[in-house]
Amino acid sequence: MTLQSSIRKIYFGVADRRQMFRLFDRHAQRPDRWQNDDSALFAGEWFEIARAEHDYMLEILPPLWMRGEMFALGEFLTGSITSVFYTLRIDGKTRYFHAYCDPAQARSPVELRDAIVGRESWPVTAMTHEERLEHIWSATHDEYRGYAGERFLPEHRGRRTVFVYGRGRTELKLLDDLTEEEIAAKLPVHLRHLPIRVAA
């Protein structure tokens, strides 16, 4: 399986409660779940939520810690990875975010906070190629996404796959191999025509 281990926005828009819980474990179908250290798969993933979801998560369990605009859950997802929730003032507006951090790395929550503020402060609404793929993966229902198995070459096994529809047929493709046309078709209409920004 391809490990990620980078700070990345995985969903565009404000996730409601149902979406939030789906995004918490969007890798649920991964091969050999819980057999390996999946920390790198989750670390650095983040998305926006509403205040109601932020407050709900604050109230359901005692936080591991609270520091200014952020708090961490006391339950760990895998290894030392846990949820950190942020209340951030960006361009004069208060917004709320969830991210997976590794509190064992002292600056991880702060680095994630700074990355979120930096990303959400872009002067023009745009998406990187990687963000387009992450949104597609996050928004696709489990029955239409998965991981490459025996039908794929050995070097591709364990990589993410999605079903693609077109020209009267359905095809299972590697997520990373989608064409620009296929990406546009799988994105919601309001995201299809956003400019593509090269990641810094």
Side-chain angles (χ1 to χ4, degrees):
M1 174 179 303
T2 304
L3 296 182
Q4 313 240 333
S5 201
S6 64
I7 295 175
R8 60 208 174 277
K9 183 175 185 174
I10 63 167
Y11 184 80
F12 271 71
V14 179
D16 62 24
R17 192 162 304 179
R18 180 190 62 80
Q19 291 164 330
M20 177 179 75
F21 280 104
R22 280 193 75 239
L23 291 168
F24 281 164
D25 195 1
R26 68 192 193 119
H27 305 292
Q29 296 172 297
R30 64 194 180 276
D32 303 320
R33 185 178 182 182
W34 311 124
Q35 301 303 310
N36 304 306
D37 180 4
D38 292 323
S39 298
L41 192 60
F42 293 93
E45 291 189 343
W46 64 270
F47 57 92
E48 188 169 358
I49 58 176
R51 179 177 180 170
E53 281 60 53
H54 171 276
D55 294 350
Y56 173 79
M57 296 306 296
L58 179 59
E59 292 169 4
I60 62 170
L61 291 170
L64 178 67
W65 49 256
M66 294 183 78
R67 298 177 193 155
E69 72 277 317
M70 64 182 98
F71 71 90
L73 290 188
E75 288 189 352
F76 291 86
L77 176 70
T78 179
S80 57
I81 302 297
T82 192
S83 292
V84 175
F85 292 85
Y86 297 88
T87 302
L88 302 175
R89 192 100 174 137
I90 301 172
D91 295 332
K93 183 180 176 186
T94 301
R95 296 168 63 186
Y96 305 87
F97 299 89
H98 166 271
Y100 278 124
C101 288
D102 184 354
Q105 297 179 14
R107 291 204 39 84
S108 174
V110 173
E111 288 170 358
L112 254 162
R113 179 203 62 202
D114 293 348
I116 292 170
V117 171
R119 169 62 186 86
E120 292 303 297
S121 298
W122 286 0
V124 176
T125 302
M127 298 174 79
T128 67
H129 177 75
E130 292 74 21
E131 287 172 344
R132 290 158 58 102
L133 293 179
E134 292 300 335
H135 183 89
I136 288 169
W137 179 258
S138 295
T140 300
H141 290 287
D142 289 347
E143 57 266 32
Y144 302 111
R145 67 182 183 186
Y147 293 85
E150 296 297 319
R151 293 172 47 189
F152 289 83
L153 295 172
E155 60 267 27
H156 296 154
R157 291 178 191 154
R159 289 174 59 190
R160 296 182 293 176
T161 60
V162 292
F163 279 103
V164 176
Y165 307 95
R167 298 191 177 96
R169 65 189 180 100
T170 302
E171 182 183 1
L172 184 64
K173 288 191 71 170
L174 296 173
L175 179 68
D176 293 331
D177 288 351
L178 294 182
T179 65
E180 288 303 314
E181 183 180 64
E182 290 165 340
I183 290 170
K186 292 191 80 60
L187 285 172
V189 174
H190 68 284
L191 298 179
R192 287 179 188 169
H193 304 295
L194 290 181
I196 299 174
R197 177 172 168 145
V198 177

